[in-house]
Amino acid sequence: MRILLVEDEPDLGAAVQEHVRQAGHAVDWFQTLGASGAAMRTVAYDLLLLDLQLPDGRGLDFLRALRARRDAIPVVILTARDQISDRIEGLSAGADDYLVKPFDLNELIARLNAVARRYFGTVATAQQFGSVELELEARLARRDGAEVELTAREWAVLEVLVRRPNATVSREQIEDALYAFEQEIESNAIEVYISRIRRKLGRDFVRTARGLGYRIRS
């Protein structure tokens, strides 16, 4: 996923960004609502991690404004406010989940995955593509019954394609899902990942639509 993180605590922001990236997602991190709003006008994010107290305003006001204009982006609130009334207010404003600081970074990943399943239909049960069996949630891949080891980046590419079975996904769409603003993208990076996936899961597992992109046939 391409994730927007809005958090003004430098240490926490850096830790969350690094951990979520290690899980295979792209993360753009901003410390103000103004910069975050500007980013959302140029990037179609898959999920928003939102602190409630920012230097230039309240996260809840930002969230209410998103919902008022019918922006359905999944939102997970990250906050030190731990009262039941605070949680009720956040969820009522349109948040999909609520994590109280300090939180475990592995729990954060689990909650992101849970919210993504509700929105995008990614399930933990195995999905079969010919001789290949994938469990995205558990990060398990099997070819002809034998387990295959894939890197986090390879899983990230697979997830983009598996979300759209039989549809052609452009290289630009895959790059948008994998890379944040400040990350440099080598010109052949996606081709390299696709080549590695084919080597591990079969040459015909990912099909190329010349000049258009890639697809997986269900």
Side-chain angles (χ1 to χ4, degrees):
M1 291 184 291
R2 182 78 177 266
I3 295 174
L4 174 61
L5 169 63
V6 189
E7 171 60 61
D8 67 330
E9 295 181 29
D11 291 342
L12 178 60
V16 169
Q17 183 182 50
E18 178 62 22
H19 202 76
V20 176
R21 280 182 176 175
Q22 287 179 358
H25 306 293
V27 184
D28 293 327
W29 169 31
F30 297 97
Q31 298 183 348
T32 66
L33 296 172
S36 302
M40 292 187 74
R41 289 191 288 272
T42 61
V43 176
Y45 288 102
D46 297 302
L47 190 141
L48 170 62
L49 295 174
L50 180 64
D51 188 17
L52 293 186
Q53 299 294 333
L54 283 306
D56 57 343
R58 300 176 68 239
L60 281 182
D61 294 335
F62 186 80
L63 174 56
R64 291 190 179 102
L66 289 178
R67 298 307 188 223
R69 62 174 183 263
R70 300 187 182 279
D71 189 326
I73 183 173
V75 177
V76 177
I77 287 177
L78 310 177
T79 181
R81 298 169 59 179
D82 61 353
Q83 298 299 311
I84 294 298
S85 58
D86 294 324
R87 299 187 190 197
I88 292 173
E89 185 180 18
L91 295 171
S92 298
D96 297 276
D97 205 347
Y98 194 108
L99 262 176
V100 176
K101 303 173 185 177
F103 50 80
D104 183 86
L105 291 171
N106 290 323
E107 180 183 1
L108 171 62
I109 299 301
R111 288 177 180 263
L112 292 182
N113 290 336
V115 171
R117 285 197 301 272
R118 294 200 296 270
Y119 272 81
F120 306 120
T122 303
V123 296
T125 54
Q127 300 181 58
Q128 195 77 34
F129 300 90
S131 63
V132 175
E133 183 182 17
L134 299 177
E135 296 183 43
L136 296 180
E137 180 68 13
R139 294 291 174 97
L140 290 176
R142 299 180 182 87
R143 181 183 180 187
D144 295 322
E147 190 169 325
V148 178
E149 185 175 346
L150 300 170
T151 67
R153 282 293 188 189
E154 290 163 0
W155 274 113
V157 172
L158 273 179
E159 185 170 354
V160 176
L161 295 172
V162 170
R163 281 188 194 172
R164 306 167 177 86
N166 302 312
T168 299
V169 183
S170 70
R171 186 180 71 175
E172 291 74 19
Q173 288 175 300
I174 300 174
E175 288 176 345
D176 283 345
L178 265 62
Y179 295 98
F181 278 129
E182 73 276 12
Q183 290 180 288
E184 293 186 4
I185 306 173
E186 295 185 13
S187 60
N188 66 335
I190 301 304
E191 287 80 358
V192 169
Y193 292 129
I194 294 293
S195 177
R196 291 174 181 172
I197 291 169
R198 284 172 172 158
R199 187 168 63 249
K200 294 177 180 181
L201 300 181
R203 186 178 63 182
D204 295 329
F205 180 70
V206 179
R207 307 291 182 89
T208 298
R210 191 171 298 278
L212 298 175
Y214 306 94
R215 68 177 181 272
I216 293 177
R217 297 183 63 180
S218 60

